[in-house]
Amino acid sequence: MKNLLVFLLFNVLCLSIQGATLEFAFQLGEKQQPRLDVLLPDVARQMVFSKHSTKLIAKAMGGAVVEWDIQSRQKREIGNIHVKQWLAYSVGANQLLVQDADDNITLLSLESGNEIRLTNGQYESGSLSADGTLGVLSNGDNGVEVWRLVKQNSETVNTNGFAQKLKTLQTGLPVRNGLTLSDDGQFIAAAEGSYRDGEGHRTIVEIWNATDERPIQVLDTGEILGVWNLLFSPDATMLAVDTQKHAQSGIRVWEIGTGRQRLAKSGFEAYWTRALAFSPASDYLASGDESGYLRIWDISEGESVIWETYPTGIQALAFSPDGEYLAVALWDATIQILHWRGKK
C-alpha cells in the first residue's frame, strides 16, 4: 500500500513538472479604469522583449514608445518621435520600424535614439528580419517591396546608400491585413483581402522565399472578415493568424512548405483575438482576446493547456527570448508579467 502511494505521488509530481505553467511575477504600469469606446492612451498596443530579455519595449495607444527595465521595473520614453504605427522590431539591431505622425517610415534606434527616415508616406505595413538587414514594405495595394538595409554605427546617419529596394513582389489581392518577415529573413508572408457584394470578404495568405519572385504557398482562409495578427514561429517552420467570422474569432497555424494545419480553432466568444505570440521554442502559441481570455496552445497536441481569464481585454502578448516570462498587456493600461514554463 505504501509503495502504491509513493508511485501515485511520483506520477503526480512528474505531471506537474512536465506540464506547462504560468505564475504571476509582477506588474508594470498603474491600473486605470478601462473604456469600452476607445482604448486608453497608456494601453500597450504592441510590445516585445529585447534580445537578452532584460527590457520590454512597448508602443502605447497614445503614440509613445517606452522601454521597461525588467529588473528595476522603471520605464523611459524612447526618442521624441510620436509613433502612429509600430510595424516591426529587429531584436538583433535593437531597432523599431515605425510609421510616424507624418506618415513617414522611420527606423528608430532604441540605444541611441537616432531616427532614420526611409520613405515619405504611402506605406501601410512592414516588417524586418531579426538582424535588421532585410525589410519588407507595402502600401496596401497588390505589391510587396523587398528592401536591403545596411547597419549604421555613427550618430549622424546619412540615408544615402542605407536602404536599397531590391524588388517588388506581385500579390493576388491587396495587402490589407498584414505583412511579416521571418526572423531569419528567409520567408515573407502577406495577408491579403478583398470585399465584393455577393461574395463577402475574402482573405488569403501568400508566402514567398525572400529570394523568389513567385509565392511558394497560397493559403485560403475562406470568407473571414480579416486578420489582426500574422506571425512566423521563431524557427520559421509555421505561420499563425487569427480569424473572424460571424462575430466570433479563432486562430490557425500552418506548416511552411506543406501547408498542413497544425492548429485550427474557431467560434471563440470574443469578436477579435487581438494578440498572438509563439513561445521561443515554437512549441506553444499564446492567444489573447477582447473578452480577457488568455489561452496557451500546445501546437503538437492541437489543444489549449492553460486558460486564464482577466477582467478586461487583452491587447498584446510577448514571450521573453530566454523563455522565462510571458507579458500580457491589458485594457486597464497594466502589463502583467507572468513566469512561464513549458513542458519538460
Side-chain angles (χ1 to χ4, degrees):
M1 184 67 175
K2 182 179 178 180
N3 290 336
L4 178 60
L5 290 174
V6 171
F7 175 78
L8 292 175
L9 179 60
F10 175 78
N11 281 338
V12 170
L13 289 174
C14 286
L15 288 173
S16 65
I17 292 172
Q18 292 177 358
T21 61
L22 277 179
E23 295 179 2
F24 175 79
F26 55 89
Q27 174 180 299
L28 300 176
E30 297 295 327
K31 184 177 180 180
Q32 303 175 34
Q33 182 62 39
R35 296 176 56 179
L36 298 179
D37 58 336
V38 62
L39 293 182
L40 297 167
D42 292 333
V43 172
R45 171 64 184 87
Q46 290 118 327
M47 60 184 180
V48 66
F49 281 91
S50 63
K51 181 178 181 179
H52 300 294
S53 306
T54 57
K55 312 288 184 182
L56 180 69
I57 305 101
K59 182 261 178 184
M61 293 298 300
V65 176
V66 299
E67 181 183 78
W68 290 93
D69 185 286
I70 295 302
Q71 185 174 5
S72 68
R73 304 178 197 176
Q74 299 297 311
K75 73 173 179 178
R76 70 178 182 95
E77 190 163 333
I78 299 171
N80 298 313
I81 189 172
H82 181 87
V83 175
K84 182 176 179 180
Q85 184 180 186
W86 164 327
L87 301 179
Y89 172 69
S90 168
V91 64
N94 201 23
Q95 290 179 327
L96 281 175
L97 182 68
V98 301
Q99 181 184 36
D100 65 24
D102 297 322
D103 291 331
N104 301 310
I105 303 300
T106 300
L107 269 175
L108 175 62
S109 171
L110 274 65
E111 294 181 2
S112 66
N114 285 336
E115 301 168 10
I116 308 171
R117 181 180 296 179
L118 298 183
T119 68
N120 295 319
Q122 86 181 37
Y123 295 98
E124 297 180 2
S125 56
S127 188
L128 292 172
S129 60
D131 64 5
T133 61
L134 194 67
V136 288
L137 293 168
S138 177
N139 61 12
D141 64 3
N142 291 60
V144 172
E145 296 180 5
V146 182
W147 290 70
R148 175 68 63 188
L149 308 176
V150 178
K151 292 182 179 179
Q152 298 285 336
N153 297 319
S154 62
E155 293 186 2
T156 303
V157 177
N158 181 358
T159 58
N160 291 333
F162 170 75
Q164 177 189 8
K165 185 169 72 172
L166 301 178
K167 59 185 175 182
T168 300
L169 302 173
Q170 298 301 311
T171 64
L173 296 174
V175 184
R176 294 176 176 170
N177 295 312
L179 178 64
T180 191
L181 187 62
S182 61
D183 286 347
D184 60 6
Q186 181 180 357
F187 297 111
I188 301 165
E192 308 158 21
S194 66
Y195 177 81
R196 296 184 180 89
D197 290 338
E199 296 182 9
H201 293 271
R202 184 187 174 201
T203 302
I204 64 172
V205 179
E206 291 189 283
I207 303 173
W208 294 262
N209 276 316
T211 55
D212 295 343
E213 300 290 337
R214 298 180 64 84
I216 60 172
Q217 282 179 268
V218 180
L219 306 171
D220 192 343
T221 66
E223 188 183 341
I224 64 173
L225 185 60
V227 170
W228 193 279
N229 305 272
L230 175 72
L231 66 157
F232 284 105
S233 58
D235 63 5
T237 63
M238 293 174 287
L239 182 77
V241 302
D242 66 289
T243 63
Q244 208 291 336
K245 187 174 183 179
H246 303 319
Q248 294 180 314
S249 59
I251 53 176
R252 297 186 191 181
V253 177
W254 293 277
E255 281 185 358
I256 306 301
T258 67
R260 181 168 74 97
Q261 280 197 358
R262 299 292 303 277
L263 196 62
K265 301 295 178 180
S266 59
F268 298 167
E269 178 182 331
Y271 194 84
W272 285 111
T273 294
R274 295 214 175 189
L276 293 179
F278 278 104
S279 63
S282 302
D283 48 357
Y284 292 92
L285 181 74
S287 66
D289 62 35
E290 295 176 338
S291 295
Y293 295 132
L294 170 65
R295 293 179 175 93
I296 307 296
W297 303 87
D298 185 328
I299 297 174
S300 65
E301 300 293 333
E303 296 295 338
S304 61
V305 292
I306 295 176
W307 189 340
E308 300 287 343
T309 305
Y310 289 93
T312 187
I314 297 170
Q315 188 65 26
L317 295 169
F319 279 100
S320 60
D322 63 4
E324 183 174 355
Y325 295 117
L326 172 64
V328 183
L330 302 178
W331 287 0
D332 64 8
T334 66
I335 299 174
Q336 305 297 312
I337 305 297
L338 311 177
H339 282 298
W340 159 252
R341 178 181 293 172
K343 64 183 178 182
K344 301 298 183 182

